[in-house]
Amino acid sequence: MTNVFKAPKEIREPLIYRIRAGLIMMGSATKAELSQRLGISFPTISKFMAQMEKDGEIRYTGDDDSSGGRRAKRYTYDPEYMLGLAIFLEKDETNYSIFNCIGEVKEQGTKPSVLHQEVQMLADLIEALIEKYPRLRSIAIGVPGAVNNGKIIFIPPYQQFLDYDLKEEIESRFQIPVVVENDMNASVLGYASNLEIENESLVYLYFGQNGPGSGIMIHGEVLRGSTFFSGEISFVPQYDNQSFLQALQTNDRNRRNLLAGDSQMDAVARLIATFTAILNPKAVVFCDDEADEALLARVAERSSAYIPQEHLPMLVMSSWRQDYLTGLQQLALNLMITDCC
């Protein structure tokens, strides 16, 4: 996948970060084009780009056609100058992706799950990837739990990771910037990035290997909440004496049949009605492993019993695994651009 980098809405970091982001987004540029695009003086642009060219970060690709004066030199960013790692932890496996700074995947793979092991197993995997790709400059880790600035604050049933500052542990060991994110927050970010959606409100639902969760985006921004607990929908109370998690519980292990029962269908419909009344999202996204068109039609019909149909969101399906990896990749790319010198 290419061209998934999207610069943060505001970058107040040193100018080199802005130049780096601008050149990657533009594909190629002259100094004058960058100066105009970024609002940075031509002499300042020239100074930084001379150093970046010396370091091998950017490459001269030729001169533009002359318009009567000196021909302007054109530059591109070397996509192999920095690499990123996206890695997500699931009950049954650990998935990873190595990519360059324009989003081209260099390697993808699956390893045994580390969630039932000590964090050392995760560190060993990262160390092996760094040895193979010494230009790796940022890491994004996705976990099935609530995360407060890199510290895992809620992750049942993997108690060995509870209250663990995974960001601090990995950064201190490898001296590489790290972001740790909740799985559903990364997924809703990846879904919006894949479809180039901006300033919309979305909810991403997944019933998954570790219980239900949701990622919430409000006007293009991922909602994490005041204590970073947003999206933990298993606790939503339903039916007087049941939570949403309890209402979903079934002995059927078939992922596509998880929502097939009337009680499960009604629980999801009530949840969608709740999201509609509070957030009024544009769409609710379901994992395509867990839903099909017929199921979504039934959910929509049941939801309309609780809230006026004209206010209901679109119900759509997407590849959760791809959205998850794309979201983590987006986080790692942003970190690579703004936290690497």
Side-chain angles (χ1 to χ4, degrees), residues 88-231:
F88 72 77
L89 316 183
E90 269 290 282
K91 178 181 178 180
D92 297 329
E93 60 190 19
T94 298
N95 293 271
Y96 70 89
S97 176
I98 299 285
F99 48 90
N100 65 21
C101 61
I102 60 172
E104 295 173 340
V105 174
K106 313 297 290 183
E107 179 182 336
Q108 284 186 326
T110 300
K111 297 291 185 180
S113 174
V114 304
L115 287 175
H116 300 286
Q117 310 296 327
E118 298 298 324
V119 72
Q120 180 62 40
M121 186 174 176
L122 174 61
D124 290 345
L125 171 59
I126 293 173
E127 183 174 24
L129 291 171
I130 291 173
E131 289 177 355
K132 186 174 181 180
Y133 298 98
R135 288 182 176 267
L136 201 152
R137 293 293 183 269
S138 68
I139 302 171
I141 304 172
V143 298
V147 180
N148 182 347
N149 292 313
K151 183 178 182 180
I152 302 172
I153 61 172
F154 179 73
I155 187 168
Y158 312 110
Q159 292 302 300
Q160 71 272 30
F161 284 89
L162 182 62
D163 293 326
Y164 195 89
D165 195 335
L166 187 57
K167 172 182 168 68
E168 171 63 26
E169 170 68 23
I170 301 301
E171 283 187 341
S172 62
R173 175 162 178 171
F174 299 112
Q175 303 302 304
I176 293 175
V178 174
V179 59
V180 181
E181 182 60 281
N182 165 265
D183 54 357
M184 297 313 300
N185 288 344
S187 298
V188 74
L189 178 66
Y191 176 82
S193 177
N194 279 332
L195 297 183
E196 298 183 353
I197 296 173
E198 294 185 2
N199 302 318
E200 288 288 1
S201 295
L202 307 167
V203 174
Y204 206 125
L205 293 180
Y206 182 58
F207 305 99
Q209 300 177 10
N210 299 289
S214 70
I216 303 169
M217 177 173 281
I218 304 296
H219 300 310
E221 296 289 340
V222 175
L223 179 67
R224 295 178 175 84
S226 63
T227 63
F228 299 88
F229 203 67
S230 175

